[in-house]
Amino acid sequence: KVQVLDGRIQAVFERELQVPLHLNGLSAELAFYEATYFFAFKITDAPQLLGNTPCAARVIPFAADPNDSTLLAKLASLSREEVPENENVGQLFADRIALKCD
């Protein structure tokens, strides 16, 4: 679902695993990002887990690090046709979902 909300594009995504992931007491982190950092995504709602799995999920928002300022300035200076040298640079600035299952 995509809509414009307060002058921003809001997109809602559902991702279904092709193969179930059995964490059984383990944890995992998930992130959604644009590899080339052309778009900044923000997780604004709590994740919803389906099924009877005893799991909990929480959002870990991206927190800027002062050491990132040089890289952010370099990314901001790129033209629309240029791509960053760092492959998957978007992952460095992504909100994450921490998933923990009992």
Side-chain angles (χ1 to χ4, degrees), residues 9 11 20 26 32 69 83 88 95 99:
I9 296 174
L26 301 174
F32 181 73
S69 61
V83 294
N88 287 321
D95 288 352
L99 183 62

Short mmCIF file of all heavy atoms in Angstrom, two decimals, residues 9 11 20 26 32 69 83 88 95 99:
data_model
loop_
_atom_site.label_atom_id
_atom_site.label_comp_id
_atom_site.label_asym_id
_atom_site.label_seq_id
_atom_site.Cartn_x
_atom_site.Cartn_y
_atom_site.Cartn_z
N ILE A 9 5.90 10.19 0.99
CA ILE A 9 5.37 8.93 0.48
C ILE A 9 5.47 7.89 1.59
O ILE A 9 6.53 7.70 2.18
CB ILE A 9 6.15 8.46 -0.76
CG1 ILE A 9 5.96 9.45 -1.90
CG2 ILE A 9 5.70 7.06 -1.17
CD1 ILE A 9 6.81 9.16 -3.12
N ALA A 11 4.87 3.90 2.32
CA ALA A 11 4.69 2.58 1.70
C ALA A 11 4.66 1.53 2.80
O ALA A 11 5.49 1.56 3.71
CB ALA A 11 5.81 2.29 0.72
N PRO A 20 10.46 -21.15 6.03
CA PRO A 20 10.33 -20.71 7.43
C PRO A 20 11.68 -20.69 8.14
O PRO A 20 12.54 -21.54 7.91
CB PRO A 20 9.42 -21.77 8.05
CG PRO A 20 8.70 -22.38 6.90
CD PRO A 20 9.64 -22.31 5.74
N LEU A 26 16.94 -18.16 19.54
CA LEU A 26 17.96 -17.30 18.92
C LEU A 26 17.34 -15.96 18.57
O LEU A 26 16.15 -15.73 18.73
CB LEU A 26 18.52 -17.97 17.67
CG LEU A 26 19.18 -19.34 17.89
CD1 LEU A 26 19.56 -19.94 16.55
CD2 LEU A 26 20.39 -19.21 18.79
N PHE A 32 15.51 -3.04 6.07
CA PHE A 32 14.96 -2.75 4.75
C PHE A 32 15.63 -1.46 4.28
O PHE A 32 15.55 -0.43 4.96
CB PHE A 32 13.44 -2.58 4.84
CG PHE A 32 12.79 -2.31 3.53
CD1 PHE A 32 12.67 -3.32 2.58
CD2 PHE A 32 12.32 -1.06 3.23
CE1 PHE A 32 12.08 -3.07 1.37
CE2 PHE A 32 11.73 -0.80 2.00
CZ PHE A 32 11.61 -1.81 1.07
N SER A 69 29.44 11.57 9.20
CA SER A 69 29.21 12.86 8.55
C SER A 69 29.98 13.00 7.24
O SER A 69 29.45 13.54 6.26
CB SER A 69 29.53 14.02 9.49
OG SER A 69 30.88 13.97 9.87
N VAL A 83 26.52 6.57 -8.62
CA VAL A 83 26.22 5.62 -7.54
C VAL A 83 27.41 5.60 -6.58
O VAL A 83 28.55 5.81 -6.98
CB VAL A 83 25.93 4.20 -8.06
CG1 VAL A 83 24.66 4.18 -8.88
CG2 VAL A 83 27.08 3.65 -8.86
N ASN A 88 25.98 -1.53 -1.39
CA ASN A 88 25.02 -1.68 -0.28
C ASN A 88 25.23 -0.65 0.83
O ASN A 88 25.03 -0.94 2.00
CB ASN A 88 25.04 -3.09 0.30
CG ASN A 88 24.40 -4.09 -0.62
OD1 ASN A 88 23.37 -3.79 -1.25
ND2 ASN A 88 24.97 -5.26 -0.74
N ASP A 95 17.11 1.60 9.55
CA ASP A 95 16.46 1.14 10.76
C ASP A 95 16.48 -0.38 10.72
O ASP A 95 16.54 -0.98 9.64
CB ASP A 95 14.99 1.60 10.79
CG ASP A 95 14.82 3.08 11.04
OD1 ASP A 95 15.82 3.76 11.33
OD2 ASP A 95 13.67 3.55 10.94
N LEU A 99 14.46 -9.32 16.17
CA LEU A 99 13.51 -10.40 16.35
C LEU A 99 14.08 -11.42 17.32
O LEU A 99 15.21 -11.87 17.15
CB LEU A 99 13.23 -11.06 15.00
CG LEU A 99 12.21 -12.18 14.94
CD1 LEU A 99 10.84 -11.69 15.35
CD2 LEU A 99 12.17 -12.77 13.53
#
